[in-house]
Amino acid sequence: MAQVYRSGQPLGTGRPARMTPREVRYQQFEPRWRGVDPAEVRRFQARLADELTSLQEEMRLLGQENERLRRALRDWQTMHARECRPPEEFTPPNRGRW
């Protein structure tokens, strides 16, 4: 049986499957005598809130990782630029050419 993917995540990986925007837009609730089942709506809201919390935390961690990598790259470039400069006595004179 082929493995089914949902939101880029293989099902059955131990992590809860993420909600897709389509699921949120087209979520339907069972009709009741006076509207929809409030318990069902609350469960959906809790699931959506959990998903948003997870995504916000992931974005925060990715932002931190991005900043760490940016600093590391800047430090490496600074170090590399210092090491790659040729000594002054070995710099060929500019004879009007490129």
Side-chain angles (χ1 to χ4, degrees), residues 6 18-29 44 47-49 51-52:
R6 178 174 169 221
R18 292 217 166 137
M19 292 181 72
T20 64
R22 182 176 177 83
E23 285 178 309
V24 173
R25 282 190 177 94
Y26 297 109
Q27 176 68 36
Q28 294 183 358
F29 302 100
F44 178 75
R47 183 176 171 206
L48 186 57
E51 181 70 24
L52 289 172

Side-chain angles (χ1 to χ4, degrees), residues 20-75:
T20 64
R22 182 176 177 83
E23 285 178 309
V24 173
R25 282 190 177 94
Y26 297 109
Q27 176 68 36
Q28 294 183 358
F29 302 100
E30 290 298 317
R32 296 287 176 174
W33 183 61
R34 292 189 178 194
V36 294
D37 183 9
E40 189 177 355
V41 172
R42 280 193 290 279
R43 281 193 303 273
F44 178 75
Q45 288 174 332
R47 183 176 171 206
L48 186 57
D50 292 344
E51 181 70 24
L52 289 172
T53 301
S54 170
L55 290 173
Q56 287 175 344
E57 178 65 14
E58 188 174 341
M59 283 178 51
R60 186 185 67 78
L61 292 174
L62 288 172
Q64 288 177 349
E65 177 70 4
N66 188 16
E67 185 58 34
R68 184 190 68 77
L69 290 172
R70 186 176 295 144
R71 280 194 311 268
L73 177 61
R74 190 178 335 121
D75 293 346

